[in-house]
Amino acid sequence: MPIPGLPTAPTTLIDTNVMLGTWPFRRVPGDSPAELLARLRGQQVEQAWVGSFDGLFHRDLAAVNARLADECRHLADHAAGIGQRIAFEPEPGMLVDTMDRYAHLAKRVDHPAFGLTLDVGHLHCLGEVPTAPHAARWKERLWNIHIEDMRPGVHDHLPFGEGTMDFAEVFVDETFEFEERECSVEVLS
């Protein structure tokens, strides 16, 4: 259902449960990021929301962060080579959860095809408000916006009106430039 005042976008196929990484005890076919990207594109998947279990298997978080940056850079190289780009979404409870940690990752990746998916509900959940300064800081790399209602400190994606989000800030502030990027309503808990 279209939101009044926002442009509509064509329907795309989105895979919301993609896991990257190599298990320390076995390999599976197609587990490299480039192979996975090719397989998803072959199935007409326009977006893939990706996670990794690497932090569970390694005690050296500096090495996990370095590997994440290396893999993101490698995947951005591959994506750029086929005319695509990738957008990373900081996620509460994950290795890169805050905008400061995203800034650290983006600096390490340092690739023009590596951008940001900004989830304003996640910012609200983690107390990173107001949200507009984050959109302004990353304006050149802000490719997607996810929006939903949420409550502070609780990572539950809620229908509009069931949380405590201040949508006036998001929809009124011109920093977000909704017409310039994809905006998705995310309602799944």
Side-chain angles (χ1 to χ4, degrees):
M1 178 170 155
I3 298 174
L6 293 180
T8 58
T11 303
T12 59
L13 183 58
I14 300 172
D15 189 333
T16 62
N17 193 23
V18 176
M19 291 295 157
L20 286 179
T22 54
W23 296 86
F25 44 84
R26 72 176 179 152
R27 295 291 306 261
V28 294
D31 65 0
S32 78
E35 291 172 300
L36 180 60
L37 179 63
R39 291 174 73 193
L40 291 169
R41 295 294 297 160
Q43 297 297 317
Q44 283 70 52
V45 173
E46 295 291 326
Q47 293 184 34
W49 302 349
V50 179
S52 173
F53 294 114
D54 281 358
L56 297 174
F57 295 114
H58 303 282
R59 293 176 190 214
D60 182 357
L61 288 182
V64 172
N65 276 305
R67 178 158 180 243
L68 175 62
D70 290 344
E71 290 294 336
C72 287
R73 190 177 318 100
H74 178 73
L75 188 55
D77 278 339
H78 181 76
I82 59 171
Q84 300 292 314
R85 57 190 187 177
I86 61 173
F88 191 96
E89 179 182 349
E91 186 79 25
M94 298 294 183
L95 185 64
V96 178
D97 53 355
T98 64
M99 293 307 297
D100 284 343
R101 289 186 176 145
Y102 172 77
H104 181 73
L105 175 64
K107 183 177 178 181
R108 290 182 78 167
V109 173
D110 190 29
H111 197 290
F114 184 77
L116 173 65
T117 293
L118 184 66
D119 189 312
V120 296
H122 292 169
L123 296 176
H124 184 68
C125 170
L126 295 174
E128 295 187 288
V129 292
T131 57
H134 298 291
R137 177 179 181 190
W138 297 101
K139 183 177 180 178
E140 299 303 317
R141 292 188 183 254
L142 178 55
W143 296 331
N144 303 302
I145 299 169
H146 289 178
I147 190 165
E148 67 281 306
D149 214 344
M150 208 168 277
R151 293 184 185 101
V154 182
H155 185 204
D156 283 336
H157 296 244
L158 302 170
F160 296 127
E162 292 188 15
T164 59
M165 287 283 302
D166 178 8
F167 291 107
E169 178 213 356
V170 176
F171 287 117
V172 172
D173 195 303
E174 294 178 11
T175 307
F176 286 92
E177 296 180 341
F178 287 104
E179 68 279 356
E180 299 295 323
R181 52 196 47 89
E182 182 173 315
C183 179
S184 301
V185 176
E186 200 175 353
V187 182
L188 36 110
S189 288

